[in-house]
Amino acid sequence: MRKPRVAAAFGLRTRLVIAFLLVAAVSAVTTAALTYREARSAVLVRAQDTAVASFREEVEQFVPELPLDPDALRWYLYDIAARAKPHPWIVFAEYGSLRASSGDRPVSGVVTAELRRAALTSPHGSFERVVKDGSAYLTIGMPVMTRIIAGGRAVPSGLVLFAVMPMTNEEVDIDGLVTAARDGALPGLAVALVPALLAARSVLRPVRALRRAAHSMGGGRFDTRIPVHGRDEMADLARTFNESAARLEDSVQELRDAGTRARRFASDVSHELRTPLAGMLAVTDVVDEDAGALSPDTARAVRLISAETAKLAVLVEDLMEISRFDARAAELNTDEVDAAEAVRGTLSGRQWLGRVHAELPDGLRIRLDPRRFDVVVANLVGNALRHGAEPVTVRLSARGGALITEVRDSGPGIAPDALPHIFDRFYKADTARSRSSGSGLGLAITEENVHLHGGRVRAENPPGGGALFTVELPFEGPASTGGETDGRPSAQSGSGPADSRDRTGATT
């Protein structure tokens, strides 16, 4: 047995809700990511612009006295750091080999070589953000300019000031944004679950109605219709379903009417033919007795007419039986019988005891319709004798709570392409052999009789050659009583020695 795929384990409602939540989650994450990026950029740029502008202003106002005194320079740096914006700075000074700092513990490695080169070459200074040991810093480098009186042109003095501002507050603000986005995601998804359920319900309501309607139509109620509400796609689907159901109802009703007419026609024709055929059979019996006194040509013609009349009589009886099955008028007259005795009676009544090998253990008692069981056995054995080859074996056994009846011949078997159709009405495996002594309905009647008992019949080509027909009848099968509902006695259809169903390669 094939295992269903995992996706099939989820219902449509679950998939709709999951899809809705996924869309909501993706939208929320995307919005949060974009908002975080813009907010982070705004926080950093604002702090950066404020610090750069403030430091540049302080540096432009700083006019050192040359030559530089290290102690005096350090006090200048303290003074500049005291006016730091927006956060405290640590101010460094570099002048040749001279180094000074406003901090007691300067942050080493924060001022990069690239920043030093940019500060020396650009009169407006430079800045960059640096991450050191997991902490972010804003570093600014500004050259101190001096003015040459001749021409009033400003030139670098060789003194460069660096400001290092820890961005701890900005990191806290950014972490707060991340926490707010994370903490707001789950409540947002919980809120999104409500419209997801409402949307799933609005979609599933017409789908459930469509499912119920389809199930109802599958049960034979072709007048089922779906209420149509609105003008959306689901309403169009409901209208299409109703139109298709109406057309299907009309088609089914036409087929039912045609089938009823056909069954009535076959039944009426069979009944109309039954009386004249009875007279014809009586006449042919009399003529057959005197055929020896006739000329050879006349005798052959008389015997041919007699044989064809007998075939027609069998066909009429079988058509009457099939019409009862089609009209659901066939019923069982059950009785408890010994299965072995019933099979022996069938073989003895048709003079087959010498031609058929029977394996019939005693003690297999079953409740069934003796007449219909006789038809089943007679059709299968006659079919084996005519279209198979002797020896033919009939075997009874009990297995799995059922009576097993097996009929096997020693012929070439059934053609593989004919096996699926072997129980069809009027089916012939060899279309070139369109005429035979039976009615062509024997195996179809056999199958109907077996199904009426609640059993099943199958045909196969077993190992070793030949054809094997197996009938399984439950010991506790249907036990309806009563005669035929149409008030007429049922015919012993298919009880003759053969069926008209041909097998490819079988003997005639």
Side-chain angles (χ1 to χ4, degrees):
M1 178 182 290
R2 293 182 57 189
K3 295 183 179 179
R5 291 181 296 180
V6 176
F10 296 100
L12 183 58
R13 172 193 285 272
T14 303
R15 294 199 295 270
L16 285 174
V17 172
I18 291 176
F20 197 96
L21 291 180
L22 285 177
V23 171
V26 171
S27 301
V29 170
T30 304
T31 303
L34 295 176
T35 304
Y36 165 75
R37 187 183 67 178
E38 295 299 326
R40 179 179 181 273
S41 178
V43 169
L44 295 178
V45 169
R46 184 176 66 249
Q48 170 185 292
D49 292 347
T50 302
V52 171
S54 177
F55 187 62
R56 180 180 290 115
E57 182 181 354
E58 294 294 334
V59 172
E60 289 176 351
Q61 294 177 359
F62 175 58
V63 180
E65 295 180 359
L66 299 176
L68 289 173
D69 178 47
D71 293 333
L73 180 59
R74 188 174 291 108
W75 284 108
Y76 282 122
L77 298 182
Y78 286 147
D79 186 55
I80 293 174
R83 293 190 295 272
K85 295 178 182 178
H87 307 306
W89 300 333
I90 299 175
V91 183
F92 297 87
E94 293 184 358
Y95 184 72
S97 61
L98 178 63
R99 300 289 186 270
S101 173
S102 65
D104 296 333
R105 296 166 56 187
V107 180
S108 61
V110 175
V111 179
T112 63
E114 291 80 3
L115 181 62
R116 285 189 172 91
R117 286 193 297 268
L120 290 173
T121 57
S122 174
H124 301 291
S126 183
F127 65 89
E128 64 181 0
R129 288 196 293 267
V130 179
V131 177
K132 179 70 174 178
D133 298 331
S135 300
Y137 299 91
L138 175 65
T139 59
I140 310 169
M142 292 286 179
V144 178
M145 307 299 290
T146 131
R147 293 185 180 275
I148 299 177
I149 297 177
R153 186 166 56 89
V155 295
S157 64
L159 175 63
V160 181
L161 299 184
F162 297 94
V164 177
M165 183 183 74
M167 305 191 74
T168 306
N169 293 342
E170 286 73 17
E171 288 184 340
V172 171
D173 293 340
I174 293 171
D175 291 341
L177 291 174
V178 174
T179 302
R182 183 188 61 208
D183 294 343
L186 290 179
L189 290 178
V191 173
L193 182 61
V194 176
L197 292 174
L198 294 177
R201 181 181 179 185
S202 64
V203 172
L204 289 178
R205 185 185 298 112
V207 173
R208 291 195 186 98
L210 180 62
R211 182 188 63 185
R212 289 193 295 268
H215 183 72
S216 179
M217 290 188 65
R221 297 183 56 184
F222 297 103
D223 58 343
T224 303
R225 300 294 183 271
I226 301 176
V228 180
H229 303 289
R231 297 180 179 273
D232 56 6
E233 290 81 358
M234 301 306 296
D236 293 339
L237 178 61
R239 278 190 287 270
T240 302
F241 178 87
N242 291 340
E243 294 170 359
S244 301
R247 289 193 293 268
L248 180 61
E249 183 181 13
D250 294 340
S251 300
V252 170
Q253 188 59 43
E254 291 178 2
L255 291 175
R256 286 174 175 172
D257 294 342
T260 300
R261 290 193 298 269
R263 288 191 296 270
R264 184 181 298 113
F265 175 78
S267 179
D268 291 344
V269 168
S270 300
H271 282 291
E272 292 299 326
L273 290 176
R274 198 175 189 185
T275 299
L277 277 175
M280 293 173 63
L281 286 172
V283 172
T284 56
D285 288 342
V286 174
V287 174
D288 279 341
E289 294 178 358
D290 298 332
L294 302 176
S295 64
D297 292 339
T298 304
R300 283 195 299 272
V302 168
R303 292 190 178 94
L304 177 61
I305 293 174
S306 177
E308 294 299 324
T309 302
K311 292 179 185 178
L312 183 58
V314 173
L315 175 62
V316 169
E317 295 295 336
D318 287 349
L319 284 174
M320 291 180 63
E321 186 74 356
I322 283 291
S323 67
R324 291 190 182 94
F325 285 117
D326 290 341
R328 302 294 189 270
E331 294 184 357
L332 294 175
N333 291 311
T334 61
D335 192 9
E336 185 173 344
V337 299
D338 185 291
E341 289 298 327
V343 173
R344 289 192 192 96
T346 300
L347 300 179
S348 175
R350 292 162 179 82
Q351 290 81 45
W352 288 340
L353 286 176
R355 304 175 60 188
V356 176
H357 174 68
E359 298 179 9
L360 309 175
D362 295 328
L364 296 178
R365 301 192 64 81
I366 183 174
R367 191 169 188 83
L368 47 72
D369 187 324
R371 182 189 67 82
R372 296 189 182 277
F373 185 66
D374 174 80
V375 170
V376 169
V377 176
N379 281 344
L380 295 182
V381 174
N383 191 72
L385 291 172
R386 176 169 294 274
H387 301 299
E390 299 184 30
V392 173
T393 301
V394 180
R395 180 182 297 108
L396 288 180
S397 62
R399 184 170 64 246
L403 175 69
I404 309 299
T405 305
E406 296 175 324
V407 178
R408 180 171 183 173
D409 61 53
S410 303
I414 306 172
D417 58 343
L419 272 175
H421 311 285
I422 198 68
F423 294 102
D424 294 348
R425 299 176 184 181
F426 298 108
Y427 176 77
K428 295 180 183 294
D430 187 355
T431 56
R433 301 168 61 191
S434 58
R435 294 181 58 82
S436 59
S437 61
S439 66
L441 296 171
L443 288 182
I445 292 175
T446 297
E447 185 180 44
E448 294 288 354
N449 280 320
V450 171
H451 289 170
L452 197 62
H453 283 85
R456 61 175 184 169
V457 59
R458 65 180 183 274
E460 58 186 312
N461 292 319
L468 174 63
F469 287 82
T470 304
V471 177
E472 298 181 13
L473 298 179
F475 283 103
E476 299 296 334
S480 58
T481 58
E484 303 294 345
T485 57
D486 60 359
R488 297 184 296 269
S490 59
Q492 295 282 350
S493 302
S495 58
D499 179 17
S500 66
R501 198 173 316 269
D502 294 339
R503 299 182 192 158
T504 302
T507 58
T508 56

